[in-house]
């Protein structure tokens, strides 16, 4: 008895398999590359660098030095940056309630002021939170309103800590929804 002949694969089927395999490999590499790009950002792109860009865009002006280690950056006056956790509050739009998410960072007169700010963090956050909840959308939507809010935050902070400790206020995140 003769063995039945096995059907031979045509070159078209081999090419299709090859294209499928190559396509799968390219897709896996593209996904891996995208994941590495988005998750593996460099340390130079952290908050102090963004604070400088936002400060210039908001009229904070001035030339800034390079950021220091540990999330604090050196600023023009030789002070350091003290970041606060973001604030999320309700503000009134005139027709409806909206959410305001704002991230505030302080420029300190000297690095020794950090310990005093750490000790009074709760009163600082409370003063800023109370101030933010009194604002309306119309008051904060333009540059003049944002600059006025910046001055009001600095005044509120000066009531909690000595005025010479915090020299400037920066907004590093400002979102209204």
């Amino acid at each position: 008895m003769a063995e039945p002949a096995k059907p031979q694969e045509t070159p078209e089927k081999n090419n299709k398999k090859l294209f499928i395999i190559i396509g799968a490999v390219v897709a896996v590499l593209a996904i891996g590359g995208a994941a590495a790009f988005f998750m593996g950002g460099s340390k130079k792109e952290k908050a102090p660098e963004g604070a400088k860009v936002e400060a210039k865009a908001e009229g904070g002006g001035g030339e800034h030095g390079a950021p220091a280690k540990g999330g604090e950056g050196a600023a023009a006056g030789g002070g350091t940056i003290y970041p606060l956790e973001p604030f999320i509050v309700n503000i009134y739009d005139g027709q409806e309630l909206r959410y305001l998410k704002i991230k505030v960072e302080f420029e300190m007169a000297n690095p020794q002021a950090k310990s005093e700010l750490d000790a009074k963090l709760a009163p600082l956050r409370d003063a800023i939170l109370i101030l933010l909840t009194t604002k309306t959308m119309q008051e904060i939507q333009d540059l003049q309103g944002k600059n006025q809010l910046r001055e009001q935050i600095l005044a509120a902070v000066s009531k909690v800590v000595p005025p010479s400790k915090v020299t400037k206020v920066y907004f590093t995140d400002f979102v209204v929804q």
Side-chain angles (χ1 to χ4, degrees):
M1 277 200 178
E3 288 184 27
K6 293 182 181 177
Q8 292 184 352
E9 292 186 4
T10 62
E12 284 183 20
K13 285 187 177 183
N14 286 339
N15 284 343
K16 284 183 184 179
K17 285 182 181 179
L18 184 62
F19 284 127
I20 291 172
I21 292 171
I22 290 174
V25 169
V26 169
V28 167
L29 289 175
I31 291 171
F37 176 76
F38 287 117
M39 298 180 90
S42 71
K43 297 206 185 261
K44 292 180 184 176
E45 298 171 3
K46 295 290 180 190
E49 192 82 346
K52 294 173 196 168
V53 172
E54 286 289 328
K56 279 189 176 181
E58 292 292 339
E63 196 172 313
H64 298 283
K69 295 180 182 177
E72 296 178 357
T80 55
I81 302 297
Y82 184 84
L84 294 177
E85 291 294 317
F87 295 89
I88 300 174
V89 296
N90 294 323
I91 59 171
Y92 191 62
D93 183 352
Q95 299 170 348
E96 60 183 305
L97 283 176
R98 293 184 176 264
Y99 293 104
L100 169 66
K101 177 184 177 191
I102 184 170
K103 186 159 181 353
V104 177
E105 296 190 13
F106 300 135
E107 181 178 310
M108 298 180 296
N110 55 47
Q112 292 78 23
K114 182 182 185 310
S115 62
E116 189 166 344
L117 291 176
D118 283 338
K120 297 194 177 183
L121 186 59
L124 282 172
R125 287 192 56 86
D126 179 64
I128 295 169
L129 190 63
I130 296 300
L131 175 65
L132 292 175
T133 56
T134 64
K135 297 298 173 189
T136 64
M137 178 67 179
Q138 290 74 26
E139 292 175 325
I140 61 169
Q141 69 185 8
D142 61 354
L143 180 61
Q144 180 182 357
K146 288 181 179 79
N147 286 333
Q148 185 177 14
L149 178 60
R150 184 179 285 132
E151 292 169 7
Q152 291 171 344
I153 289 174
L154 187 58
V157 167
S158 296
K159 291 177 183 176
V160 177
V161 295
S164 60
K165 299 290 181 182
V166 176
T167 57
K168 288 186 181 177
V169 174
Y170 298 108
F171 298 140
T172 57
D173 196 7
F174 201 103
V175 180
V176 179
Q177 231 180 5

